[in-house]
Amino acid sequence: MAANNALQLTSVDFDGIKNDLKTFLSNQTELGDYNYESSTMQILLNLLAYNTYRNSFYLNMVGNEMFLDSAQIRSNVVSKAKMLGYTPRSVVGPEAEIQVTISPGGSPSVITIDANTVFSASVDGRNYVYTNPKSLVVNANASGVYSGKLPVVEGRPLTHRFTVSSASPVRYVIPNDNVDTTYLTVRVQESSSNTTTTTWTQSTDITGLTANSRAYFLSENEDGRYEVKFGDNVISKQVNDGNIVLVGYRVSTGLDSVGANNFTSSTTMGGYSNYTLRSTIASTNGSNRETIDSIKLNAPRSYTAQNRVVTAADFRTSILSYFTDLQAVSVWGGEENDPPIYGKAFISTKPKSGLYISDNRKNEIKNYLKDKTILSIDTEVVDPTYLYIRPAINVTYDPDDTTSTASGIASGIESILTSFETNNLNLFGKDYINSDLAIDIGNVNSAIKSTRIDVKLEKENKPITTTSARYNISFNNRIYHPHKDHMYAVASTSFTYQGRPCFFDDDGNKALRIYTLGAGNQRTYVNKNAGKVDYTTGRITIDDILISAYEGDAITFLVDPDIDDIKPQRNQIILFRNARINVVNAETNNLEASVSNVTTTGTSTTTAALNSQSATVGLYSAVY
Amino acid sequence: MASSGSINPISKEVSFSDLGISMTPHPVTGKLTVKKNAEAVVSAIKNLILTNRFERPYDPLFGSDVKNRLFESFDTIEQANIERDIQTAIENYEPRVTISDITVVARPDSNRVQVGLSFFIVNDARPVEVGLEIERTR
C-alpha cells in the first residue's frame, strides 16, 4: 500500500506545524538535512512554519471575533450586539438633590433657576461638575423664604452641530468618549438662515415609524463612540441638505463622584448671588459604561425578550439593563405571592448603594415597563424585605495548637461572618447554608476543634401608629414547634398597646398573644387572641389592632427556625444581625473570648416604612 | 568452515545534502544547487555562527551571538567569549561534528573577527577546516 506522502498540516502551534513539514520531507528523497537545526533546509522550514502559524493564528482570531461569545474586541462585540438590536449602555452620571435657599433682598413673585446651572462637588480631592437638567421655579413660602429642591446630575452639558450635506456626507458621531446618553437630545435646525428647530426622538425599533416620523437611531460605532442615524423617508424622516443637526449630551465621569454631598456654585441663582446650598440627597445611582462582558450577557437576552417583558427573566434583564443603579431584581407573578394576587407582576429591587429605592424610582420602573408588559398585567414595585439571621457561634479551640489568642480567633470569625454575608447572602434568592458557614469558621484557625452555630430568625415590622391595622410577618421558613402546647415559639421587642408596654408570644396552639411583664417578669396577658401563628409556613398574622408606639425603629419578631438552613422567598434578602461569638478553651472549658453584636450589613439596615409598601388587599406587609 | 574468499571492507556512506543558502541556480541546469556531505555541514555551521540568539522565532537560543559581540571592545576575554559561544552553539545544534579546534583572531583595524574552525564529521576521519571572516556591517 502506498504511503501517504501528502503534506498534513493539522497542528496549530509552531512546533507542530514544523513537524508536519518535516514528516512531509522525510517522505521525499531529494533532500535529507531537514533534521538539523542549523541547515539551510531548517531555515526554509522555519519560514514556512512561521508563515503557516501566523495564518492559523489570524484565522483563529478572525474566527473568534466573528461570534459574540468569543469576541474580545469591543467594536466587534458591539457590532454583534447591534445585529441583535442592542445598544450598549453609556456612562450615566450620578444624581443628587440640592436644597437651594435664596435671599433676594426683595420680594420677586418667583425666582427661576435656569437649566444647566453649574455646581461643583468634591470627592476624594477631585472636583466634579453637576448641573440641573431642568430649570426650577422657586416660590416664596409663607415666611417669605425662597427655597426649592433642585435635582442635579453629574456631567458637563455639551452640544455638537453637524451640517447635513449630500455632497460631502458626514457621520453624526458624537465626538466624545464618555457621553451620557440619558440626556441625549437631537434637534434639527432647518438651515443656517432658518433657525426653526424640531426635536427628534430616539427610536429603538421600527415598529410604528412612518416616513414622517421624526425619529433617530442611536448606536455605538467602531471607535466606541455613539452615532446618531436618521431614516430614509421610508422608515422615519430623512434629514435634508442644509439642515443643521444639534446633538445635546452630557460628558460624565460615571461612578467616580458617587457620594458627593458638598455642593458649591460660583454663579448666581436666578440672578441672585445671596443664597445657600444644602445637599438633601447625596450623589447616588449612576454607572460606568457597559463592559464587554455585560454586553455579551445582556444582548442575547434583550434579543430574546424582543423589547417586551413576559417572563420573569425578561423583567430582570430589561430592568437591570435600563436602570443601571440597581444591583439585583427579583420578579414573581401574583399567583406566587402570599396571599396570591392575580393579574399582577411583582418586582423588587436592590440598589447598588443603599437598601431601598425611592418611590419616584419605583414609578419610573413602572412607567418604563408600561409599554413592554402584556395587556392585563399590572406591575407593582415593592421594597426588598430583610430576613435577619441571629447566629450564636460557639467554638472550642486548643491553645496548644496555635499562637493566636482566643480574641484573635474571635476576630477572625468576625471577618468570616462579614465576608460570608457579602459573598453568600445579601441578594435575592441566596440561601443560608449553616454547614457552609461552619466550614468557613473552622478554617479560620487550625486550633478550632469544634464549631456550633445556633440560629434564630429576626424580622422587623414597622406598624402604623395612628390607626389600627392588620399585619403579616412572614418568615417563609418553618418555625420550630415540635408538638402542641410548645409555647413561646414567637417573641418580640416591646411596643405600646392600650397604653401599656407589651410583647407578643404564642400559646403553643397557633394563637398569638399580647402580654405585659409584671413583677418578677410574670406575664400578664392583655390579649390572648391577637392573631395567629402558622408554624408550618412561618407566618405570623396580627389582627386589627392599634400599636401606638414601639421600641427602636420597628418591632422585631424572633423565632427559632425548624431547620438551620434558611431559604429566602421572593423579595426576601437574608442578612446577619446581632451575631454572637464565644470562644472556649477546650482544655479548661473556660470562655476566653466573647463578642456580641458583630458589625455586619444587617446591623445597619432599617425597615422600610409601611406606607411606602403595597396595601392593595387591605393588609399591610402583604408582599413578603 | 567458513567459506574462503576476499571480503571487501564495509564502508558506511555518510550522506548529508542541503540547499545552498544563497539559493543561486545552477548555471547550466537552472536548478537550485545542492550541497552534499562536508560542504553541507560547513554551510550549516556558517548558518549557525552567523545567526544571533533571539533571531530565530520559537528557538531563542539558536545561534552564537558572534555578530553581536563585534560591537564589544575586543580583548582576550572577548576572544574567549566568542570561542565559547561558537563551541556551545555547535555542541548544542550541530550533532554531526566533533570540534577539534577553534581560533578567533581579531582584526580591529578592519572591524573584523577571523574565526578558524577545525572539526571532524561523525564517522569520517578526515578533518575539515573552515575559515570565516565576520565583519561589522553597520
Side-chain angles (χ1 to χ4, degrees):
Chain A
M1 189 174 169
N4 183 4
N5 290 342
L7 174 58
Q8 304 285 323
L9 281 176
T10 52
S11 302
V12 290
D13 63 301
F14 180 83
D15 289 330
I17 293 166
K18 198 167 152 185
N19 282 332
D20 287 341
L21 291 167
K22 281 185 188 175
T23 307
F24 170 71
L25 283 175
S26 68
N27 293 321
Q28 316 301 315
T29 52
E30 290 83 357
L31 296 165
D33 273 7
Y34 50 82
N35 266 337
Y36 300 105
E37 286 294 325
S38 54
S39 66
T40 304
M41 283 296 293
Q42 277 283 335
I43 295 173
L44 293 176
L45 284 180
N46 281 328
L47 193 64
L48 283 168
Y50 189 57
N51 186 47
T52 308
Y53 179 66
R54 279 177 66 100
N55 279 334
S56 64
F57 174 79
Y58 284 132
L59 192 62
N60 187 40
M61 286 293 288
V62 169
N64 278 343
E65 295 300 320
M66 284 173 68
F67 301 99
L68 185 64
D69 286 335
S70 52
Q72 297 292 317
I73 299 169
R74 184 180 177 94
S75 58
N76 293 330
V77 173
V78 170
S79 177
K80 300 295 161 203
K82 197 183 292 178
M83 291 165 67
L84 299 175
Y86 185 80
T87 305
R89 282 195 314 265
S90 72
V91 61
V92 177
E95 302 162 346
E97 189 180 81
I98 306 171
Q99 178 93 39
V100 184
T101 306
I102 305 169
S103 305
S107 53
S109 57
V110 292
I111 297 174
T112 303
I113 301 173
D114 293 333
N116 294 331
T117 301
V118 175
F119 298 87
S120 178
S122 170
V123 175
D124 294 334
R126 192 179 156 194
N127 285 327
Y128 297 90
V129 170
Y130 279 72
T131 58
N132 50 322
K134 292 178 182 172
S135 60
L136 178 72
V137 176
V138 183
N139 294 294
N141 65 12
S143 311
V145 177
Y146 293 82
S147 184
K149 289 180 176 174
L150 185 67
V152 291
V153 181
E154 191 271 328
R156 291 178 184 275
L158 296 171
T159 301
H160 197 79
R161 296 164 64 96
F162 302 89
T163 302
V164 181
S165 166
S166 55
S168 53
V170 293
R171 292 173 68 182
Y172 309 107
V173 178
I174 304 173
N176 223 309
D177 287 335
N178 294 310
V179 173
D180 177 354
T181 59
T182 317
Y183 294 92
L184 187 73
T185 59
V186 174
R187 290 173 298 140
V188 177
Q189 184 177 317
E190 283 304 312
S191 66
S192 55
S193 55
N194 182 352
T195 57
T196 308
T197 58
T198 49
T199 300
W200 294 44
T201 54
Q202 186 182 345
S203 179
T204 52
D205 60 45
I206 60 171
T207 316
L209 293 183
T210 67
N212 290 319
S213 303
R214 295 182 193 278
Y216 68 90
F217 304 93
L218 187 70
S219 59
E220 186 179 318
N221 77 354
E222 60 279 5
D223 295 326
R225 292 182 169 176
Y226 284 96
E227 181 175 3
V228 173
K229 287 183 177 169
F230 295 97
D232 53 2
N233 279 346
V234 178
I235 298 169
S236 168
K237 202 170 169 59
Q238 185 178 351
V239 284
N240 300 316
D241 276 7
N243 284 168
I244 297 169
V245 177
L246 302 162
V247 180
Y249 58 97
R250 309 178 77 87
V251 176
S252 170
T253 58
L255 290 173
D256 291 359
S257 68
V258 165
N261 60 1
N262 51 352
F263 295 96
T264 57
S265 180
S266 57
T267 63
T268 59
M269 295 291 146
Y272 300 99
S273 55
N274 194 6
Y275 59 83
T276 59
L277 303 176
R278 185 173 64 85
S279 170
T280 46
I281 299 176
S283 175
T284 184
N285 303 337
S287 71
N288 291 331
R289 164 184 242 191
E290 189 166 14
T291 61
I292 290 174
D293 286 341
S294 175
I295 297 169
K296 284 182 178 180
L297 180 74
N298 286 326
R301 283 155 187 80
S302 169
Y303 176 71
T304 310
Q306 292 286 324
N307 209 25
R308 293 171 184 81
V309 290
V310 180
T311 65
D314 296 344
F315 276 87
R316 276 194 295 272
T317 307
S318 186
I319 294 169
L320 279 175
S321 63
Y322 191 80
F323 295 94
T324 54
D325 54 314
L326 301 181
Q327 183 187 10
V329 173
S330 176
V331 180
W332 66 98
E335 72 283 0
E336 296 171 9
N337 200 60
D338 182 19
I341 303 171
Y342 296 101
K344 270 184 181 291
F346 286 96
I347 299 151
S348 187
T349 61
K350 182 174 186 297
K352 284 177 181 166
S353 58
L355 300 169
Y356 305 104
I357 60 171
S358 66
D359 287 347
N360 278 346
R361 201 62 168 162
K362 286 178 194 166
N363 286 331
E364 285 172 15
I365 293 173
K366 276 194 81 164
N367 290 335
Y368 166 74
L369 292 171
K370 199 158 56 182
D371 296 331
K372 298 175 187 293
T373 52
I374 56 176
L375 292 172
S376 80
I377 289 292
D378 189 19
T379 53
E380 179 95 27
V381 183
V382 297
D383 282 317
T385 64
Y386 291 91
L387 177 63
Y388 303 102
I389 291 177
R390 180 190 283 193
I393 300 164
N394 294 287
V395 299
T396 57
Y397 85 108
D398 187 342
D400 295 339
D401 286 353
T402 181
T403 55
S404 297
T405 60
S407 301
I409 291 173
S411 175
I413 295 172
E414 278 188 71
S415 304
I416 287 294
L417 262 185
T418 312
S419 62
F420 190 90
E421 185 186 48
T422 305
N423 300 330
N424 298 68
L425 307 173
N426 202 11
L427 279 179
F428 298 113
K430 293 270 192 177
D431 297 352
Y432 167 79
I433 309 295
N434 201 45
S435 57
D436 286 353
L437 178 60
I439 290 168
D440 284 2
I441 290 172
N443 290 333
V444 166
N445 195 305
S446 58
I448 294 178
K449 299 302 173 195
S450 69
T451 304
R452 180 179 159 183
I453 307 168
D454 296 318
V455 300
K456 288 186 186 296
L457 295 181
E458 280 186 23
K459 197 134 180 42
E460 288 187 339
N461 189 37
K462 196 176 266 189
I464 309 285
T465 54
T466 52
T467 180
S468 61
R470 294 188 298 142
Y471 303 96
N472 264 350
I473 296 95
S474 290
F475 287 90
N476 290 117
N477 285 271
R478 203 181 171 102
I479 298 172
Y480 179 67
H481 185 254
H483 55 79
K484 277 187 173 180
D485 302 325
H486 176 82
M487 290 195 292
Y488 307 154
V490 175
S492 81
T493 53
S494 168
F495 59 93
T496 304
Y497 174 67
Q498 295 180 351
R500 285 177 288 185
C502 295
F503 303 87
F504 285 112
D505 74 4
D506 66 305
D507 67 351
N509 292 303
K510 297 187 177 180
L512 187 72
R513 304 182 295 188
I514 299 175
Y515 67 91
T516 58
L517 278 178
N521 285 338
Q522 186 74 31
R523 299 185 184 197
T524 306
Y525 287 93
V526 182
N527 184 342
K528 288 191 174 179
N529 199 12
K532 287 198 166 24
V533 181
D534 189 330
Y535 304 109
T536 308
T537 61
R539 185 203 289 177
I540 299 168
T541 308
I542 303 174
D543 286 342
D544 206 1
I545 62 168
L546 172 63
I547 296 171
S548 55
Y550 45 86
E551 180 190 358
D553 293 329
I555 301 176
T556 300
F557 288 83
L558 194 68
V559 299
D560 275 328
D562 194 39
I563 53 173
D564 287 343
D565 293 341
I566 311 299
K567 290 179 183 297
Q569 299 284 325
R570 297 178 285 276
N571 58 335
Q572 276 184 332
I573 294 174
I574 296 177
L575 293 174
F576 288 137
R577 181 183 266 191
N578 294 325
R580 198 183 77 239
I581 301 166
N582 289 331
V583 182
V584 175
N585 187 324
E587 291 178 351
T588 62
N589 277 335
N590 288 336
L591 176 63
E592 293 193 346
S594 184
V595 182
S596 299
N597 294 329
V598 176
T599 303
T600 54
T601 306
T603 312
S604 55
T605 55
T606 54
T607 300
L610 278 175
N611 54 12
S612 70
Q613 295 184 350
S614 165
T616 48
V617 293
L619 182 69
Y620 286 103
S621 312
V623 183
Y624 273 81
Chain B
M1 185 180 167
S3 62
S4 62
S6 63
I7 298 173
N8 291 329
I10 298 170
S11 69
K12 187 176 178 183
E13 180 71 19
V14 180
S15 177
F16 301 114
S17 61
D18 197 6
L19 294 170
I21 189 73
S22 60
M23 296 284 168
T24 47
H26 191 277
V28 178
T29 63
K31 294 180 178 175
L32 282 178
T33 51
V34 176
K35 296 190 174 184
K36 289 187 184 292
N37 294 334
E39 203 183 6
V41 175
V42 169
S43 168
I45 287 177
K46 283 183 181 174
N47 289 342
L48 181 59
I49 293 173
L50 295 176
T51 302
N52 278 332
R53 285 187 190 133
F54 298 97
E55 191 175 304
R56 181 173 284 195
Y58 305 102
D59 194 357
L61 298 180
F62 182 87
S64 72
D65 249 6
V66 173
K67 282 165 79 176
N68 274 346
R69 290 195 182 278
L70 296 179
F71 289 86
E72 304 291 335
S73 56
F74 201 87
D75 53 17
T76 51
I77 296 173
E78 200 56 31
Q79 183 181 351
N81 285 341
I82 291 175
E83 286 174 7
R84 191 199 58 221
D85 280 355
I86 292 171
Q87 182 163 0
T88 307
I90 292 173
E91 283 172 0
N92 287 342
Y93 287 99
E94 191 44 271
R96 293 174 291 185
V97 304
T98 307
I99 301 168
S100 56
D101 189 33
I102 299 173
T103 55
V104 175
V105 180
R107 302 268 184 239
D109 293 341
S110 53
N111 295 324
R112 291 179 184 189
V113 169
Q114 200 170 40
V115 177
L117 271 176
S118 176
F119 58 85
F120 294 95
I121 297 173
V122 289
N123 292 338
D124 193 339
R126 290 167 293 183
V128 181
E129 292 197 345
V130 181
L132 280 172
E133 285 222 350
I134 306 169
E135 182 183 6
R136 273 175 59 175
T137 53
R138 59 190 166 88

